[in-house]
Amino acid sequence: MSGSEGAPPHKTKSGFRLERWAPLILLGGAFAIYVGVVLATGQAQYLTFDNLIAILGRSIALGITAIGQTFVILVASIDLSVASLISATAVLASVIMDGSPAMILPAVLAAVALGGLVGLTNGLVVTGLGVNPLIATLGMSLIIQGCLSAFVSNFAGSVPAEFQVFAYGRLGPFPLALLFLLALACLAWILLRFTKFGSDIYAVGGNEEAARFAGIKTRRIVVLSHVICSVCAVIAGLYLASRLRSGAPWIGADGVYDLESIAVVVIGGTVLAGGRGGIWGTMAGMLIFSLIDSVFNVAGVDSFAKQVLRGIIIVAAVAFYAARSKRIVA
Amino acid sequence: MSDRTETTHARTRRLPQINPVWLLLAALVAGIILMNPGFVEPTGYMNFLKRAAPLAILAAGQVYVITSGGFDLSVGSLITLVVVGSSMLTNNDPAATYWVIPLMLGMGLGVGVVNGLVVCFLRVPSLIATLGMMITLNGLAFLWSGGAPRGYLPDTYRFFGRELVRDVPLVGFIPVSVIVLFVVVGILAWLMHRTNLGRQVHAIGDNPVAARLAGVAVNRVRITAFMLSGLSAAIAGILLGGFAGVSTDVGSGYELQAITAAVLGGAQLLGGRGSVFAAFGGALALTAIFTLLNFLGLPQPVRQVVQGLILIAAVALAMHRRKQTGT
């Protein structure tokens, strides 16, 4: 343990810090593998600009959810209710719209209100009742999914063509949704990097007690982070409804958005214990995920074997950062 | 459980501290008896225990990992893999059971070892490590069976899940699965509450650094906890294979139910507190809730909502009590 470097404290300041560059290294590695596989199988058509954009387009819902998840993980909380919330908003929005363009605004408002309510409840149960966030949001997930499947069992409602622009519209060569994701990421980055709220989030995640003693209203920060996370899940749900042209009660669970968004955030270098990480890491994590998927597709890996490899890759990617730390984890 | 008598002696004029899970269970059982008087007959409660057996065994294993400070999300998919793997390996040959069952138990231990090694030496938080294992094992189950598992398990294999021991005095009959349940829970409870291993599991969950300084081999204890959880999942899988047919979703949802049961029994997430008996009680209570909802004719979605509410309420109550007692 101590033989390798001795790790004097000043070394971390000037020296190369792996944690900081790990998302980029992993991303570079994933991209190199992608290019390698494409060239090795002689399918150079997969290297075009359009195709790379298409790869990104496939993981937009995951990216939006992961941005929200980053906020809660930064405050050392977690949100497992995003997948069922995604299903619920997709169904709610598409039922309210029911093909009529006039109802787009009410549907979006209703969905955002639902997300705000869910996030507020999650946050209050976690902070007020002191329930472990894993359990609180898991319970919330069961409640939402139960309520949803009590009413709906198939595709419900329909989304008017005007709203499908969200998923299918293009601005020049770029899909509208991709630009939206980029804008959302920038917004989140500005919020975390340049505002008081952002630095409060890092403070609460790093050491809640110290943050409270420093005069930060820690509970409010945690609740707000949960609201942000739920609203991001709502946006992802709206995007999926727009893409599938209708909402179904299984789209969130099918995409495993709860666990995958957590995996994306963690692969992006945000620490589950809170206080360290950021949005661009999460974006890198999302890119890594979609590149891995594309590698499997290009290489023609069997879909079950794909799943096996996926599980191993998630663990390996996290181990890539964590293996060097000396902390005891559980 | 026996310290309860001591504490009542120490603090007189205070009600004995009964774990609320037993009161919940008593209330639920009373409700079931009210709805269905046949429940007091041996067929009633033996069938109930039989149905609860896989979950109770799973919860008893899960409580080790929770008490040590981690989570084991891989148990559900491990159950699936055990059932699917057994059906592939036995291939309808009754004689194969005798090597398939030990192999499956070994596989459970092996999965536990891998979980433990990844957590201890690669320093991956157990939530992510066992999540990765869950995805991997699910994929393996599909891969092994080609997506559509075929056939059924031979009767020799289904012995543990299906057979009854007849002509027992007092109760008439005992399902083999109930015997397995009591043996497994008994051994796990003994290990947890009467041996050094149990104390060390509590110690590393409460404060791993202090435990290490006190000379506990933290990694070894943590890996053992994951092994016991994996083993319990393999046993639960063998029982479930006897109950029902072979499919690729037999185990889905069990990981969350096991955690719920352990939490209902007062196990503290992130470690330091947990009881095998109480987790057993939690599993019975959870099964009783589902049974009651069934009697009331409520559909599956309502079960989900109720499970969610109970989960949150149980933890909130535990936190409230802890705040009041100041521990």
Side-chain angles (χ1 to χ4, degrees):
Chain A
M1 274 217 304
S2 58
S4 55
E5 279 171 284
H10 65 266
K11 197 158 188 271
T12 52
K13 244 184 192 170
S14 56
F16 174 75
R17 285 166 62 194
L18 180 79
E19 293 101 69
R20 191 143 181 200
W21 296 101
L24 267 183
I25 296 171
L26 285 173
L27 182 55
F31 190 70
I33 293 172
Y34 177 71
V35 172
V37 169
V38 164
L39 292 181
T41 53
Q43 296 167 292
Q45 73 270 25
Y46 284 109
L47 277 178
T48 58
F49 176 75
D50 281 347
N51 199 267
L52 293 177
I53 292 288
I55 291 175
L56 290 176
R58 240 173 283 152
S59 46
I60 283 173
L62 182 60
I64 296 173
T65 319
I67 288 176
Q69 193 74 253
T70 310
F71 279 83
V72 277
I73 293 186
L74 277 176
V75 293
S77 190
I78 206 161
D79 192 343
L80 288 176
S81 64
V82 285
S84 33
L85 184 58
I86 286 175
S87 309
T89 41
V91 169
L92 180 74
S94 104
V95 165
I96 293 183
M97 285 179 201
D98 209 16
S100 126
M103 293 304 285
I104 288 180
L105 191 64
V108 170
L109 288 180
V112 171
L114 174 70
L117 182 71
V118 169
L120 196 66
T121 316
N122 279 339
L124 288 177
V125 169
V126 168
T127 57
L129 299 179
V131 177
N132 181 299
L134 200 73
I135 295 293
T137 56
L138 183 64
M140 179 56 89
S141 170
L142 290 171
I143 294 169
I144 298 174
Q145 194 66 51
C147 290
L148 185 60
S149 33
F151 295 113
V152 191
S153 60
N154 207 335
F155 279 103
S158 70
V159 170
E162 284 82 355
F163 192 66
Q164 290 171 20
V165 171
F166 185 24
Y168 291 100
R170 296 181 82 87
L171 202 71
F174 300 103
L176 211 55
L178 192 61
L179 296 175
F180 177 81
L181 173 67
L182 195 65
L184 194 68
C186 286
L187 187 70
W189 175 64
I190 291 168
L191 200 59
L192 284 174
R193 182 78 176 70
F194 298 113
T195 66
K196 178 170 176 302
F197 175 62
S199 51
D200 284 355
I201 283 185
Y202 282 97
V204 171
N207 186 336
E208 187 172 354
E209 207 164 339
R212 193 168 51 240
F213 287 142
I216 295 172
K217 295 196 167 55
T218 54
R219 288 184 171 196
R220 196 179 292 173
I221 302 292
V222 174
V223 173
L224 267 177
S225 305
H226 271 286
V227 171
I228 290 176
C229 180
S230 294
V231 169
C232 282
V234 163
I235 297 172
L238 290 173
Y239 167 77
L240 283 175
S242 149
R243 203 172 97 173
L244 300 173
R245 302 188 168 94
S246 176
W250 59 77
I251 57 174
D254 253 17
V256 209
Y257 286 107
D258 40 5
L259 299 176
E260 293 223 333
S261 67
I262 293 169
V264 162
V265 171
V266 173
I267 287 174
T270 302
V271 184
L272 267 184
R276 268 183 297 156
I279 287 295
W280 298 120
T282 301
M283 290 293 101
M286 180 201 89
L287 291 178
I288 293 167
F289 252 58
S290 37
L291 278 172
I292 292 170
D293 262 358
S294 314
V295 168
F296 289 154
N297 284 343
V298 172
V301 177
D302 170 85
S303 73
F304 302 139
K306 204 192 286 187
Q307 208 186 349
V308 173
L309 288 172
R310 220 180 159 130
I312 295 171
I313 288 170
I314 291 177
V315 174
V318 177
F320 183 67
Y321 303 87
R324 284 159 36 112
S325 89
K326 304 246 184 325
R327 285 182 314 123
I328 301 178
V329 299
Chain B
M1 280 203 1
S2 67
D3 356 354
R4 198 186 301 148
T5 47
E6 288 163 30
T7 44
T8 38
H9 277 298
R11 312 176 215 155
T12 44
R13 259 179 280 146
R14 205 189 252 195
L15 283 171
Q17 289 275 327
I18 294 182
N19 192 322
V21 72
W22 301 114
L23 301 178
L24 175 68
L25 180 60
L28 287 167
V29 168
I32 294 177
I33 292 173
L34 222 69
M35 302 284 300
N36 174 17
F39 191 77
V40 291
E41 305 283 320
T43 21
Y45 59 80
M46 280 302 171
N47 272 333
F48 171 76
L49 281 177
K50 181 180 154 185
R51 220 162 342 108
L55 180 58
I57 290 172
L58 211 54
Q62 181 78 240
V63 99
Y64 274 83
V65 177
I66 290 183
T67 309
S68 78
F71 297 93
D72 190 350
L73 297 178
S74 65
V75 287
S77 54
L78 182 54
I79 288 179
T80 306
L81 187 62
V82 164
V83 173
V84 169
S86 305
S87 90
M88 298 309 287
L89 286 176
T90 53
N91 213 355
N92 298 341
D93 171 18
T97 301
Y98 305 105
W99 60 269
V100 167
I101 283 186
L103 188 72
M104 287 301 141
L105 295 179
M107 188 175 77
L109 286 173
V111 168
V113 170
V114 173
N115 279 335
L117 288 176
V118 168
V119 172
C120 287
F121 295 106
L122 297 182
R123 316 240 173 220
V124 178
S126 62
L127 194 69
I128 299 286
T130 58
L131 165 68
M133 183 58 90
M134 168 176 124
I135 297 174
T136 307
L137 293 182
N138 252 331
L140 277 179
F142 276 108
L143 204 58
W144 200 346
S145 62
R150 61 196 151 77
Y152 46 88
L153 292 157
D155 281 343
T156 45
Y157 187 95
R158 302 184 69 175
F159 169 80
F160 293 101
R162 223 162 48 155
E163 280 309 308
L164 310 172
V165 178
R166 284 172 212 287
D167 299 325
V168 183
L170 236 62
V171 287
F173 72 96
I174 302 180
V176 176
S177 55
V178 175
I179 298 174
V180 174
L181 165 68
F182 282 116
V183 169
V184 171
V185 169
I187 292 175
L188 286 178
W190 173 76
L191 265 179
M192 182 69 125
H193 301 294
R194 289 288 175 274
T195 65
N196 271 341
L197 174 71
R199 279 173 214 121
Q200 291 178 339
V201 168
H202 277 82
I204 67 169
D206 198 34
N207 187 339
V209 178
R212 189 178 57 194
L213 294 176
V216 176
V218 175
N219 288 345
R220 207 164 61 204
V221 174
R222 200 183 297 290
I223 293 171
T224 312
F226 277 107
M227 284 169 71
L228 288 172
S229 175
L231 182 66
S232 74
I235 298 172
I238 290 168
L239 292 187
L240 275 171
F243 288 175
V246 181
S247 77
T248 45
D249 61 353
V250 260
S252 69
Y254 264 102
E255 62 279 332
L256 298 183
Q257 288 186 22
I259 294 175
T260 310
V263 167
L264 270 181
Q268 186 178 335
L269 290 172
L270 308 181
R273 188 189 292 238
S275 151
V276 172
F277 277 127
F280 168 68
L284 291 189
L286 201 60
T287 314
I289 291 165
F290 292 154
T291 312
L292 202 58
L293 292 177
N294 248 349
F295 279 142
L296 293 171
L298 293 174
Q300 174 72 22
V302 182
R303 277 174 57 154
Q304 259 183 330
V305 175
V306 170
Q307 196 192 344
L309 287 173
I310 286 172
L311 194 58
I312 295 177
V315 178
L317 196 70
M319 291 310 290
H320 181 67
R321 280 165 64 101
R322 204 164 297 150
K323 232 179 266 172
Q324 277 196 329
T325 51
T327 49

